[in-house]
Amino acid sequence: MTSPDLTFVLGGARSGKSAYAERLAAASGRPVTYIATARSADADPEFAARIAHHQACRPAHWTLVEADAALPQALRAADGEQHCVLVDCLTLWLAGLVCPVEGGEPPPSAAASRFDELEAALSGARGRVIVVSNEIGLGVVPLGSLTRHYVDELGRLNQRVARIAREVTLMVAGLPVAVKPGPTRP
């Protein structure tokens, strides 16, 4: 099943995926809700600077929703027929599921059940949805079981979203490469 108006934007770090997704959202001509998935970066000044950079790039009139594990619920709440929802990004959302700040190890099925919830929310969306994620599976198999688990889970999640998306774009050096071409956009 393909979602009616779901665009999936993938890429590596600093590939231009967020900027591209923001341009798509702005070009939609619809009210935009930006769902941020990054956790607070109080203890990490470099990550806090990354978040500040993303905040500065977004138009002030966009609605901001900060979602944690409840991304599917946030997506449903923001969705509307004449709205555009931009989720940035699945990579950080999954990190919160796999490596929770408090409470130790998540149950092994935590990610799978959340993937089902997210897929249902995306498949049922009535408006335009743009989802951003990192493509991190192009390198060597990482050392450490937790890192391998994370890479595997993100690969599974990306495949699920790509399968239901109408359009999939891979960002390479700031250039969009159509992986699953969708409708022509302005």
Side-chain angles (χ1 to χ4, degrees), residues 4 10 22-23 37 45 57-58 60 80 82 86 90 94 102 114 118 124 133 139 143 152 163 165 168-169 177 181:
L10 293 158
E22 289 165 3
R23 287 192 304 271
T37 62
C57 291
R58 289 193 300 265
Q82 296 304 313
L86 170 53
L90 295 185
L94 179 62
E102 296 182 30
R114 294 295 180 151
L118 180 61
S133 187
L143 297 175
D152 290 348
R163 184 174 51 249
V168 179
T169 300
V177 178

Side-chain angles (χ1 to χ4, degrees), residues 6-12 15-21 23-24 128-135 158 161-163 165-185:
L6 172 61
T7 298
F8 191 34
V9 180
L10 293 158
S15 64
K17 60 192 175 297
S18 293
Y20 179 75
R23 287 192 304 271
L24 290 177
R128 174 125 170 75
V129 180
I130 303 163
V131 178
V132 176
S133 187
N134 285 68
E135 176 53 72
N158 286 347
V161 176
R163 184 174 51 249
R166 180 165 61 169
E167 179 178 1
V168 179
T169 300
L170 176 67
M171 296 300 296
V172 179
L175 301 173
V177 178
V179 175
K180 186 178 185 181
T184 304
R185 302 230 183 247

Side-chain angles (χ1 to χ4, degrees), residues 1-172:
M1 177 179 162
T2 301
S3 288
D5 200 358
L6 172 61
T7 298
F8 191 34
V9 180
L10 293 158
R14 295 289 180 247
S15 64
K17 60 192 175 297
S18 293
Y20 179 75
E22 289 165 3
R23 287 192 304 271
L24 290 177
S28 75
R30 302 173 182 193
V32 176
T33 298
Y34 184 104
I35 300 179
T37 62
R39 290 187 281 200
S40 173
D42 298 334
D44 184 345
E46 186 273 335
F47 194 64
R50 285 176 179 259
I51 292 173
H53 171 76
H54 277 273
Q55 291 168 336
C57 291
R58 289 193 300 265
H61 65 276
W62 286 6
T63 302
L64 172 65
V65 174
E66 294 178 345
D68 51 14
L71 174 58
Q73 293 82 354
L75 178 59
R76 281 190 189 97
D79 180 40
E81 286 184 20
Q82 296 304 313
H83 287 82
C84 178
V85 178
L86 170 53
V87 177
D88 196 358
C89 70
L90 295 185
T91 314
L92 295 173
W93 176 66
L94 179 62
L97 296 178
V98 173
C99 306
V101 174
E102 296 182 30
E105 293 288 317
S109 63
S113 66
R114 294 295 180 151
F115 290 4
D116 291 342
E117 292 174 31
L118 180 61
E119 187 173 346
L122 291 170
S123 295
R126 297 168 291 144
R128 174 125 170 75
V129 180
I130 303 163
V131 178
V132 176
S133 187
N134 285 68
E135 176 53 72
I136 63 172
L138 297 174
V140 299
V141 176
L143 297 175
S145 63
L146 181 58
T147 307
R148 281 191 303 275
H149 173 71
Y150 178 79
V151 170
D152 290 348
E153 290 299 312
L154 185 59
R156 288 181 189 104
L157 176 59
N158 286 347
Q159 287 182 46
R160 287 179 75 160
V161 176
R163 184 174 51 249
I164 63 171
R166 180 165 61 169
E167 179 178 1
V168 179
T169 300
L170 176 67
M171 296 300 296
V172 179

